[in-house]
Amino acid sequence: MEEDEFFGEKTFQHDCAEFIKHSQQIGDGWEWRTSKDSSDGYMCKTHLQIKSGTTVSHLGTSALVQTCLPMEEALEPPLDDFELTETATATEVIKYEYHVLYSCSYQVPVLYFRASFLDGRPLTLKDIWEGVHECYRMRLLQGPWDTITQQEHPILGQPFFVLHPCKTNEFMTPVVKNSRKINRNVNYITSWLSIVGPAVGLNVPLSYAGAASQDE
Amino acid sequence: MHYPIGLLFDLLASSSALPWNITVHFKSFPEKDLLHCPSKDVIEAHFMSCVKEADALKHKSQVINEMQKKDHKQLWMGLQNDRFDQFWAINRKLMEYPAEENGFRYIPFRIYQTTTERPFIQKLFRPVAPDGQLHTLGDLLKEVCPSAVAPEDGEKKNQVMIHGIEPMLETPLQWLSEHLSYPDNFLHISIIPQPTD
């Protein structure tokens, strides 16, 4: 039994479960997957994106999320769900997958992600970054995390891009310490994902914050 | 994947006669299965990433973080240029532990089997039991991969291989970690079916 765990695997699974509960309420598409041969698992989400930059959530809800668009594109009228399916063609739709796993080595969550066209052709890291707004790209380059590298998914065994976890503890410790100081419960996964997600094109709606502080 | 060549041999071809004949492909890169390797820098980054992870387990990253960039570089260059002394000048620090402990905090290991979907098993495992006894290779397998170990009276179904040899299951894990780790500081353990000859 671990007494000195800052963020143990049980807490990880608990916080993910809470996160997914809220995701289900707002149709944000996150789900939990367990590996066939053991008790551990991970959280994952798939979303489709048209190359122009407008995102439709996988479950096709009415919550249409706009990613930051460069000025010229922002002048185009926003498309609603119905228009989107008519104008999308196979080569322009990109499938993004985000997986949140627990690293027992660093005792923190780790974000794995990959993107491909619908015909299976993978996107390179450069392609993925082209879909990320400038402001987040700068943060990624200056942020207190090492790098994004391609690594083997520990459960699926396939290549994914990974945000290296060795600095996660560094930027999460003040968040957790502060929440304890003001006696307010924080969902580690919510806080962490809202920090690292946008840098790789993953949006975390604000309503998660409200849900997190209502726990207990 | 970016696996050490010795591990690949143990896992996939240990019954083959040397030299190991392999087929090199130049077309149809399997994007969904393999990591790209565009340059030597990528290999260095991957190697250092493994070394860092191993130290996170052994020393909560204290030893690797105390080192300077030039030490990290020396570790990599020593490996790349096959300079044993240059490599070990740095690596020996990664093999030390506080006098009051009997070993590392956790042992960096990965267990590979071709029969499972999961690429490898990696879990937290202490080298020393609460009563001070050193855990053995057998203890590790019983805990994280029980199917690999034959029952007391049963027939031996598998070989447990590291660097092409089968260490005795009674070997202390701490010792194996210090002496039989790969350059990335991990114990890469293959579980392969017992040859039938």
Side-chain angles (χ1 to χ4, degrees), chain A residues 56-144:
Chain A
V56 181
S57 88
H58 181 65
L59 300 175
T61 65
S62 56
L64 185 69
V65 178
Q66 291 277 354
T67 58
C68 306
L69 298 170
M71 266 315 289
E72 324 83 80
E73 287 183 60
L75 295 173
E76 285 176 33
L79 301 170
D80 63 35
D81 290 324
F82 308 107
E83 271 186 59
L84 237 34
T85 48
E86 283 177 316
T87 54
T89 59
T91 51
E92 289 178 315
V93 177
I94 300 171
K95 180 173 96 162
Y96 286 81
E97 283 176 76
Y98 297 95
H99 292 210
V100 174
L101 278 82
Y102 181 72
S103 162
C104 59
S105 306
Y106 293 101
Q107 303 197 318
V108 292
V110 190
L111 183 60
Y112 288 75
F113 61 99
R114 66 178 174 187
S116 59
F117 293 98
L118 291 187
D119 61 6
R121 275 176 301 137
L123 264 70
T124 61
L125 196 49
K126 187 164 159 289
D127 295 331
I128 295 178
W129 267 347
E130 265 156 32
V132 175
H133 192 272
E134 189 69 38
C135 62
Y136 292 121
R137 231 180 289 172
M138 288 308 295
R139 184 208 283 189
L140 187 69
L141 295 171
Q142 295 161 0

XYZ file of all heavy atoms in Angstrom, chain A residues 56-144:
716
model
N -16.942 19.528 -34.913
C -18.246 18.948 -34.553
C -17.977 17.841 -33.547
O -17.105 17.025 -33.758
C -18.934 18.330 -35.790
C -20.279 17.750 -35.421
C -19.092 19.384 -36.876
N -18.693 17.822 -32.457
C -18.429 16.762 -31.476
C -18.904 15.432 -32.025
O -19.811 15.354 -32.832
C -19.121 17.066 -30.154
O -20.422 16.544 -30.170
N -18.230 14.382 -31.594
C -18.472 13.036 -32.133
C -19.924 12.604 -32.005
O -20.460 11.922 -32.840
C -17.556 12.062 -31.403
C -17.694 10.650 -31.884
N -17.358 10.265 -33.153
C -18.134 9.543 -31.277
C -17.578 8.973 -33.287
N -18.041 8.492 -32.170
N -20.593 13.004 -30.933
C -21.967 12.559 -30.737
C -22.956 13.468 -31.440
O -24.157 13.276 -31.341
C -22.292 12.501 -29.232
C -21.389 11.540 -28.443
C -21.688 11.646 -26.955
C -21.608 10.118 -28.912
N -22.450 14.473 -32.142
C -23.337 15.336 -32.917
C -24.322 16.107 -32.086
O -25.461 16.276 -32.460
N -23.910 16.592 -30.937
C -24.834 17.371 -30.100
C -24.928 18.791 -30.628
O -24.187 19.186 -31.511
C -24.364 17.441 -28.645
O -23.138 18.157 -28.633
C -24.158 16.054 -28.091
N -25.799 19.554 -30.030
C -25.974 20.922 -30.497
C -24.848 21.827 -29.996
O -24.731 22.956 -30.413
C -27.323 21.460 -30.022
O -27.383 21.334 -28.620
N -24.008 21.339 -29.105
C -22.904 22.181 -28.605
C -21.807 22.224 -29.653
O -20.944 21.382 -29.709
C -22.365 21.615 -27.298
N -21.836 23.206 -30.505
C -20.843 23.317 -31.562
C -19.681 24.127 -31.019
O -19.843 25.269 -30.611
C -21.462 24.012 -32.781
C -20.563 24.083 -34.027
C -20.377 22.686 -34.598
C -21.191 24.991 -35.053
N -18.502 23.514 -30.998
C -17.355 24.202 -30.420
C -16.523 24.834 -31.510
O -16.092 24.175 -32.439
C -16.477 23.195 -29.637
C -15.252 23.887 -29.074
C -17.301 22.579 -28.517
N -16.297 26.103 -31.420
C -15.468 26.788 -32.390
C -14.035 26.853 -31.886
O -13.800 27.313 -30.789
C -15.973 28.231 -32.578
C -17.320 28.342 -33.271
C -17.175 28.275 -34.785
O -16.072 28.262 -35.287
N -18.299 28.225 -35.484
N -13.086 26.354 -32.666
C -11.690 26.548 -32.271
C -11.288 27.931 -32.743
O -11.949 28.520 -33.585
C -10.774 25.508 -32.926
O -10.909 25.604 -34.336
C -11.160 24.105 -32.487
N -10.214 28.447 -32.218
C -9.766 29.788 -32.615
C -9.413 29.775 -34.096
O -8.675 28.908 -34.553
C -8.513 30.180 -31.834
S -8.728 30.038 -30.052
N -9.944 30.694 -34.843
C -9.646 30.739 -36.266
C -8.825 31.980 -36.577
O -8.996 33.010 -35.951
C -10.943 30.820 -37.081
C -11.912 29.641 -36.936
C -13.232 29.993 -37.606
C -11.320 28.395 -37.570
N -7.920 31.839 -37.531
C -7.215 33.052 -37.972
C -8.230 34.049 -38.510
O -9.285 33.666 -38.978
C -6.305 32.548 -39.096
C -6.212 31.087 -38.905
C -7.475 30.657 -38.242
N -7.915 35.324 -38.457
C -8.866 36.388 -38.761
C -9.688 36.171 -40.025
O -10.885 36.326 -40.020
C -8.132 37.739 -38.844
C -8.141 38.511 -37.556
S -9.742 38.549 -36.741
C -10.676 39.621 -37.825
N -9.015 35.790 -41.137
C -9.738 35.696 -42.409
C -10.853 34.676 -42.336
O -11.950 34.892 -42.818
C -8.816 35.303 -43.575
C -7.415 35.868 -43.527
C -6.493 35.061 -42.657
O -5.986 34.024 -43.115
O -6.279 35.485 -41.512
N -10.559 33.532 -41.703
C -11.558 32.466 -41.665
C -12.703 32.796 -40.727
O -13.791 32.295 -40.857
C -10.910 31.143 -41.257
C -10.052 30.579 -42.371
C -9.464 29.237 -42.006
O -10.234 28.310 -41.740
O -8.229 29.124 -41.983
N -12.465 33.645 -39.756
C -13.500 33.964 -38.771
C -14.664 34.700 -39.412
O -15.758 34.762 -38.867
C -12.904 34.788 -37.644
N -14.433 35.277 -40.585
C -15.486 36.019 -41.244
C -16.504 35.100 -41.908
O -17.588 35.527 -42.267
C -14.879 36.975 -42.297
C -13.991 38.072 -41.694
C -13.311 38.861 -42.801
C -14.835 39.007 -40.827
N -16.160 33.804 -42.054
C -17.128 32.870 -42.653
C -18.250 32.630 -41.669
O -18.023 32.557 -40.473
C -16.450 31.533 -42.960
C -15.543 31.579 -44.162
C -14.846 30.240 -44.339
O -15.458 29.207 -44.018
O -13.685 30.235 -44.769
N -19.477 32.459 -42.162
C -20.581 32.211 -41.226
C -20.420 30.833 -40.581
O -19.967 29.902 -41.234
C -21.828 32.247 -42.124
C -21.325 31.989 -43.498
C -19.925 32.506 -43.571
N -20.760 30.710 -39.289
C -20.629 29.411 -38.618
C -21.587 28.395 -39.219
O -22.718 28.731 -39.532
C -20.993 29.709 -37.160
C -21.737 30.996 -37.184
C -21.280 31.747 -38.381
N -21.129 27.169 -39.392
C -21.984 26.119 -39.955
C -22.663 25.365 -38.821
O -22.053 25.096 -37.810
C -21.133 25.130 -40.763
C -20.352 25.725 -41.923
C -19.373 24.704 -42.477
C -21.296 26.163 -43.017
N -23.909 25.019 -38.990
C -24.528 24.185 -37.952
C -24.357 22.708 -38.338
O -23.841 22.393 -39.390
C -26.005 24.550 -37.739
C -26.853 24.301 -38.976
O -26.580 23.332 -39.708
O -27.770 25.090 -39.223
N -24.787 21.828 -37.460
C -24.538 20.384 -37.632
C -24.971 19.877 -38.990
O -24.279 19.089 -39.614
C -25.306 19.585 -36.571
C -24.697 19.817 -35.196
O -23.479 19.943 -35.123
O -25.467 19.873 -34.228
N -26.110 20.321 -39.451
C -26.657 19.746 -40.683
C -25.842 20.138 -41.887
O -25.540 19.327 -42.741
C -28.115 20.161 -40.842
C -28.921 19.849 -39.606
C -29.340 20.849 -38.752
C -29.210 18.530 -39.267
C -30.048 20.560 -37.601
C -29.905 18.233 -38.102
C -30.335 19.254 -37.272
N -25.471 21.399 -41.954
C -24.661 21.856 -43.090
C -23.340 21.121 -43.143
O -22.840 20.796 -44.185
C -24.385 23.358 -42.951
C -25.431 24.236 -43.575
C -25.026 25.697 -43.537
O -23.966 26.020 -44.098
O -25.749 26.485 -42.918
N -22.766 20.843 -41.990
C -21.443 20.240 -41.915
C -21.402 18.896 -42.614
O -20.506 18.596 -43.363
C -21.050 20.066 -40.453
C -19.754 20.729 -39.997
C -19.489 22.026 -40.718
C -19.797 20.957 -38.514
N -22.396 18.045 -42.352
C -22.338 16.712 -42.937
C -22.461 16.767 -44.443
O -21.942 15.934 -45.158
C -23.434 15.797 -42.365
O -24.671 16.521 -42.418
C -23.131 15.422 -40.931
N -23.144 17.797 -44.954
C -23.286 17.869 -46.409
C -22.005 18.320 -47.080
O -21.665 17.853 -48.139
C -24.414 18.848 -46.763
C -25.780 18.252 -46.549
C -26.867 19.275 -46.832
O -26.730 20.413 -46.395
O -27.841 18.915 -47.508
N -21.271 19.217 -46.457
C -20.102 19.763 -47.153
C -18.827 18.967 -46.918
O -17.869 19.119 -47.627
C -19.828 21.222 -46.710
O -19.721 21.235 -45.287
C -20.947 22.139 -47.152
N -18.782 18.099 -45.922
C -17.543 17.368 -45.615
C -17.261 16.281 -46.638
O -18.155 15.574 -47.052
C -17.657 16.730 -44.238
N -16.023 16.180 -47.044
C -15.618 15.073 -47.923
C -14.575 14.251 -47.187
O -13.927 14.735 -46.276
C -15.006 15.586 -49.237
O -13.881 16.393 -48.908
C -16.008 16.395 -50.028
N -14.390 13.008 -47.590
C -13.516 12.084 -46.861
C -12.116 12.638 -46.650
O -11.551 12.524 -45.593
C -13.457 10.757 -47.582
N -11.522 13.255 -47.660
C -10.135 13.675 -47.513
C -9.963 14.856 -46.596
O -8.868 15.158 -46.151
C -9.536 14.045 -48.878
O -10.438 14.954 -49.505
C -9.344 12.812 -49.729
N -11.013 15.585 -46.276
C -10.855 16.771 -45.448
C -11.253 16.559 -44.003
O -11.066 17.429 -43.184
C -11.677 17.925 -46.029
C -11.085 18.456 -47.315
C -11.933 19.558 -47.891
O -13.167 19.392 -47.933
O -11.359 20.582 -48.294
N -11.808 15.412 -43.700
C -12.207 15.170 -42.317
C -11.074 14.474 -41.592
O -10.501 13.520 -42.078
C -13.479 14.293 -42.244
C -13.821 13.991 -40.801
C -14.632 14.988 -42.942
N -10.718 15.014 -40.429
C -9.646 14.440 -39.645
C -10.210 13.873 -38.351
O -11.013 14.503 -37.680
C -8.578 15.505 -39.324
C -8.012 16.051 -40.632
C -7.462 14.898 -38.475
C -7.112 17.235 -40.435
N -9.766 12.677 -38.018
C -10.201 12.032 -36.788
C -9.099 12.209 -35.753
O -7.964 11.803 -35.960
C -10.452 10.541 -37.043
C -10.901 9.784 -35.810
C -11.307 8.351 -36.155
C -10.150 7.405 -35.900
N -10.602 5.999 -35.811
N -9.444 12.852 -34.626
C -8.495 13.024 -33.524
C -8.857 12.066 -32.403
O -10.023 11.925 -32.055
C -8.571 14.441 -32.970
C -7.950 15.492 -33.858
C -8.651 16.019 -34.937
C -6.663 15.952 -33.624
C -8.081 16.973 -35.757
C -6.080 16.914 -34.441
C -6.798 17.418 -35.508
O -6.229 18.355 -36.320
N -7.854 11.431 -31.861
C -8.100 10.572 -30.703
C -7.243 11.052 -29.553
O -6.041 11.284 -29.736
C -7.670 9.132 -30.996
C -8.621 8.352 -31.870
C -8.029 6.983 -32.173
O -8.057 6.117 -31.295
O -7.528 6.810 -33.306
N -7.843 11.180 -28.368
C -7.113 11.579 -27.180
C -7.295 10.508 -26.118
O -8.410 10.117 -25.816
C -7.630 12.920 -26.662
C -7.412 14.058 -27.645
C -8.406 14.440 -28.538
C -6.185 14.715 -27.686
C -8.189 15.457 -29.452
C -5.956 15.739 -28.599
C -6.969 16.111 -29.477
O -6.741 17.114 -30.379
N -6.198 10.025 -25.567
C -6.264 9.006 -24.517
C -5.553 9.528 -23.279
O -4.454 10.084 -23.362
C -5.545 7.725 -24.963
C -6.245 7.009 -26.088
N -6.185 5.640 -26.248
C -7.028 7.457 -27.104
C -6.879 5.294 -27.313
N -7.395 6.370 -27.851
N -6.183 9.330 -22.134
C -5.559 9.726 -20.871
C -5.227 8.465 -20.091
O -6.118 7.718 -19.696
C -6.520 10.622 -20.041
C -5.927 10.910 -18.675
C -6.814 11.916 -20.784
N -3.927 8.225 -19.912
C -3.488 7.035 -19.171
C -2.762 7.446 -17.908
O -2.341 8.593 -17.765
C -2.524 6.208 -20.026
C -3.171 5.271 -21.045
C -3.542 6.011 -22.300
C -2.227 4.128 -21.380
N -2.590 6.473 -17.006
C -1.858 6.744 -15.772
C -0.443 6.213 -15.912
O -0.251 5.082 -16.348
C -2.556 6.055 -14.592
C -1.882 6.308 -13.269
C -1.967 7.560 -12.662
C -1.152 5.315 -12.620
C -1.344 7.810 -11.450
C -0.526 5.554 -11.404
C -0.623 6.803 -10.826
O -0.005 7.049 -9.626
N 0.535 7.023 -15.536
C 1.925 6.573 -15.543
C 2.319 6.212 -14.128
O 2.380 7.079 -13.253
C 2.843 7.693 -16.043
O 4.185 7.417 -15.670
N 2.595 4.924 -13.908
C 2.979 4.569 -12.535
C 4.408 5.013 -12.251
O 4.781 5.232 -11.099
C 2.787 3.081 -12.263
S 3.714 2.002 -13.332
N 5.204 5.203 -13.305
C 6.587 5.652 -13.087
C 6.626 7.069 -12.544
O 7.395 7.371 -11.644
C 7.371 5.610 -14.392
O 7.300 4.332 -14.973
N 5.809 7.950 -13.127
C 5.802 9.351 -12.692
C 4.632 9.671 -11.774
O 4.547 10.759 -11.230
C 5.761 10.282 -13.923
C 7.018 10.234 -14.752
C 7.084 9.493 -15.927
C 8.156 10.937 -14.362
C 8.238 9.443 -16.684
C 9.312 10.903 -15.120
C 9.344 10.153 -16.279
O 10.494 10.112 -17.029
N 3.718 8.732 -11.630
C 2.527 8.901 -10.784
C 1.742 10.149 -11.159
O 1.359 10.963 -10.312
C 2.918 8.892 -9.297
C 3.664 7.596 -8.965
C 3.741 7.293 -7.488
O 3.966 8.160 -6.673
N 3.537 6.021 -7.154
N 1.524 10.297 -12.463
C 0.711 11.396 -12.985
C -0.037 10.860 -14.203
O 0.311 9.809 -14.741
C 1.583 12.595 -13.431
C 2.236 13.277 -12.258
C 2.604 12.184 -14.480
N -1.083 11.602 -14.644
C -1.741 11.206 -15.893
C -0.875 11.628 -17.080
O -0.050 12.543 -16.968
C -3.053 12.009 -15.873
C -2.805 13.169 -14.984
C -1.727 12.782 -14.019
N -1.048 10.941 -18.201
C -0.302 11.262 -19.404
C -1.275 11.346 -20.575
O -2.188 10.536 -20.671
C 0.751 10.175 -19.723
C 1.680 10.633 -20.832
C 1.544 9.805 -18.491
N -1.057 12.331 -21.444
C -1.941 12.499 -22.589
C -1.301 11.902 -23.837
O -0.212 12.298 -24.242
C -2.223 13.998 -22.810
C -3.191 14.365 -23.935
C -4.564 13.741 -23.701
C -3.343 15.875 -24.041
N -1.988 10.922 -24.415
C -1.567 10.315 -25.674
C -2.550 10.786 -26.742
O -3.748 10.875 -26.473
C -1.635 8.787 -25.582
C -0.583 8.150 -24.714
C -0.651 8.201 -23.329
C 0.506 7.483 -25.289
C 0.326 7.625 -22.537
C 1.481 6.892 -24.496
C 1.384 6.970 -23.120
O 2.348 6.394 -22.338
N -2.072 11.094 -27.937
C -3.009 11.511 -28.981
C -2.478 11.157 -30.358
O -1.275 10.977 -30.561
C -3.302 13.019 -28.879
C -2.097 13.902 -29.039
C -1.818 14.506 -30.253
C -1.253 14.150 -27.972
C -0.710 15.323 -30.409
C -0.133 14.963 -28.113
C 0.142 15.554 -29.333
N -3.408 11.033 -31.287
C -3.034 10.831 -32.679
C -4.163 11.332 -33.553
O -5.291 11.504 -33.084
C -2.735 9.361 -32.968
C -3.932 8.447 -32.858
C -3.561 7.010 -33.206
N -4.695 6.122 -32.961
C -4.630 4.798 -33.035
N -3.491 4.207 -33.349
N -5.697 4.062 -32.789
N -3.833 11.557 -34.818
C -4.840 12.047 -35.749
C -4.622 11.390 -37.099
O -3.490 11.080 -37.480
C -4.746 13.563 -35.875
N -5.715 11.142 -37.796
C -5.604 10.555 -39.131
C -6.779 11.010 -39.983
O -7.808 11.457 -39.467
C -5.587 9.029 -39.045
O -6.760 8.566 -38.427
N -6.585 10.893 -41.313
C -7.703 11.128 -42.216
C -8.610 9.899 -42.136
O -8.198 8.855 -41.639
C -7.190 11.332 -43.641
C -6.391 12.598 -43.794
C -5.008 12.565 -43.757
C -7.027 13.818 -43.963
C -4.264 13.733 -43.879
C -6.294 14.994 -44.092
C -4.907 14.939 -44.044
N -9.825 10.045 -42.657
C -10.760 8.926 -42.547
C -10.290 7.680 -43.283
O -10.683 6.568 -42.957
C -12.157 9.337 -43.038
C -12.894 10.339 -42.143
C -14.315 10.553 -42.625
C -12.894 9.878 -40.694
N -9.408 7.854 -44.265
C -8.922 6.666 -44.986
C -7.740 6.013 -44.269
O -7.122 5.096 -44.792
C -8.546 7.040 -46.426
C -7.437 8.088 -46.464
O -6.905 8.425 -45.402
O -7.121 8.581 -47.567
N -7.398 6.506 -43.090
C -6.355 5.860 -42.294
C -4.994 6.527 -42.329
O -4.139 6.255 -41.501
N -4.767 7.416 -43.300
C -3.474 8.090 -43.384
C -3.258 8.933 -42.124
O -4.092 9.761 -41.784
C -3.425 9.023 -44.600
C -3.040 8.365 -45.903
C -3.132 9.387 -47.026
N -4.453 9.957 -47.159
C -4.703 11.255 -47.360
N -3.708 12.109 -47.427
N -5.957 11.694 -47.470
N -2.111 8.722 -41.453
C -1.896 9.465 -40.209
C -1.418 10.891 -40.472
O -0.819 11.162 -41.512
C -0.783 8.672 -39.525
C -0.029 8.046 -40.642
C -0.981 7.838 -41.781
N -1.675 11.772 -39.510
C -1.141 13.125 -39.589
C 0.192 13.160 -38.867
O 0.398 12.443 -37.895
C -2.099 14.112 -38.901
C -3.076 14.838 -39.797
C -4.124 13.870 -40.306
C -3.750 15.973 -39.048
N 1.068 14.009 -39.330
C 2.325 14.181 -38.611
C 2.088 15.192 -37.496
O 1.057 15.869 -37.458
C 3.424 14.739 -39.532
O 2.994 16.016 -40.000
C 3.673 13.804 -40.700
N 3.071 15.312 -36.628
C 2.963 16.263 -35.528
C 2.806 17.676 -36.083
O 2.031 18.488 -35.575
C 4.226 16.161 -34.671
C 4.154 16.773 -33.278
C 2.908 16.306 -32.548
C 5.393 16.364 -32.500
N 3.509 17.930 -37.169
C 3.446 19.247 -37.802
C 2.016 19.539 -38.264
O 1.487 20.626 -38.044
C 4.409 19.275 -38.996
C 4.586 20.628 -39.646
C 5.844 20.607 -40.527
C 5.818 21.702 -41.578
N 4.841 21.459 -42.654
N 1.379 18.537 -38.869
C -0.009 18.692 -39.318
C -0.916 19.007 -38.135
O -1.793 19.866 -38.216
C -0.532 17.403 -39.968
C 0.214 17.062 -41.241
O 0.705 17.994 -41.901
O 0.298 15.859 -41.565
N -0.717 18.274 -37.042
C -1.578 18.467 -35.879
C -1.417 19.880 -35.346
O -2.393 20.570 -35.025
C -1.265 17.442 -34.769
C -1.605 16.028 -35.261
C -2.044 17.753 -33.496
C -1.300 14.929 -34.273
N -0.158 20.331 -35.294
C 0.091 21.670 -34.772
C -0.485 22.772 -35.635
O -0.785 23.847 -35.156
C 1.588 21.864 -34.556
C 1.960 21.522 -33.157
C 1.127 21.332 -32.111
C 3.269 21.293 -32.678
N 1.835 21.008 -31.000
C 3.137 20.977 -31.300
C 4.534 21.335 -33.254
C 4.250 20.704 -30.504
C 5.629 21.063 -32.461
C 5.488 20.749 -31.098
N -0.667 22.465 -36.912
C -1.260 23.473 -37.783
C -2.704 23.754 -37.401
O -3.239 24.818 -37.668
C -1.155 23.044 -39.255
C 0.070 23.626 -39.928
C 0.532 22.833 -41.130
O -0.341 22.253 -41.810
O 1.758 22.786 -41.366
N -3.327 22.787 -36.700
C -4.708 22.986 -36.275
C -4.819 23.604 -34.891
O -5.908 23.826 -34.379
N -3.686 23.879 -34.294
C -3.688 24.450 -32.950
C -3.455 25.950 -33.048
O -2.586 26.397 -33.781
C -2.567 23.824 -32.085
C -2.473 24.506 -30.727
C -2.832 22.341 -31.907
N -4.232 26.710 -32.290
C -4.099 28.165 -32.381
C -2.719 28.627 -31.919
O -2.132 28.059 -31.006
C -5.188 28.838 -31.552
C -5.291 30.310 -31.820
N -4.538 31.242 -31.134
C -6.009 30.989 -32.732
C -4.817 32.434 -31.608
N -5.694 32.315 -32.570
N -2.230 29.679 -32.580
C -0.921 30.280 -32.301
C -0.639 30.455 -30.812
O 0.424 30.127 -30.323
C -0.855 31.640 -33.006
C 0.526 32.274 -32.980
C 1.515 31.532 -33.838
O 1.123 31.055 -34.924
O 2.670 31.374 -33.408
N -1.622 30.961 -30.067
C -1.386 31.263 -28.653
C -1.059 29.994 -27.867
O -0.229 30.013 -26.962
C -2.569 31.994 -28.026
S -4.118 31.067 -28.018
N -1.684 28.887 -28.246
C -1.400 27.646 -27.539
C -0.076 27.052 -27.983
O 0.615 26.418 -27.215
C -2.522 26.634 -27.753
C -3.806 27.054 -27.086
C -4.975 27.236 -27.829
C -3.865 27.267 -25.723
C -6.151 27.618 -27.225
C -5.045 27.657 -25.108
C -6.175 27.829 -25.861
O -7.331 28.204 -25.266
N 0.252 27.297 -29.252
C 1.509 26.784 -29.766
C 2.683 27.419 -29.029
O 3.651 26.772 -28.670
C 1.638 27.088 -31.261
C 2.000 25.873 -32.080
C 2.116 26.195 -33.526
N 0.837 26.474 -34.160
C 0.703 26.935 -35.396
N 1.759 27.184 -36.125
N -0.493 27.163 -35.901
N 2.556 28.729 -28.758
C 3.600 29.440 -28.026
C 3.734 28.875 -26.624
O 4.811 28.664 -26.114
C 3.289 30.947 -27.952
C 3.454 31.660 -29.266
S 5.067 31.346 -30.015
C 6.158 32.110 -28.839
N 2.598 28.619 -26.004
C 2.590 28.085 -24.647
C 3.262 26.726 -24.616
O 4.007 26.396 -23.715
C 1.157 27.955 -24.138
C 1.089 27.492 -22.686
C -0.166 26.753 -22.395
N -1.313 27.648 -22.243
C -2.506 27.242 -21.807
N -2.689 25.996 -21.483
N -3.514 28.078 -21.714
N 2.992 25.946 -25.647
C 3.564 24.607 -25.719
C 5.078 24.684 -25.808
O 5.790 23.930 -25.177
C 3.004 23.883 -26.946
C 3.382 22.412 -27.046
C 2.689 21.625 -25.975
C 3.001 21.866 -28.406
N 5.573 25.630 -26.600
C 7.007 25.740 -26.788
C 7.694 26.289 -25.549
O 8.840 25.983 -25.280
C 7.322 26.639 -27.994
C 6.861 26.073 -29.350
C 7.001 27.115 -30.438
C 7.651 24.826 -29.710
N 6.990 27.124 -24.785
C 7.598 27.723 -23.604
C 7.236 27.005 -22.323
O 7.815 27.260 -21.288
C 7.130 29.180 -23.460
C 7.598 30.076 -24.576
C 6.752 31.338 -24.640
O 5.835 31.510 -23.853
N 7.070 32.206 -25.574
N 6.252 26.131 -22.387
C 5.673 25.526 -21.185
C 6.625 24.641 -20.411
O 7.637 24.179 -20.922
N 6.292 24.366 -19.152
C 7.155 23.567 -18.283
C 7.005 22.080 -18.539
O 6.907 21.292 -17.635
C 6.640 23.930 -16.893
C 5.190 24.155 -17.087
C 5.050 24.772 -18.470
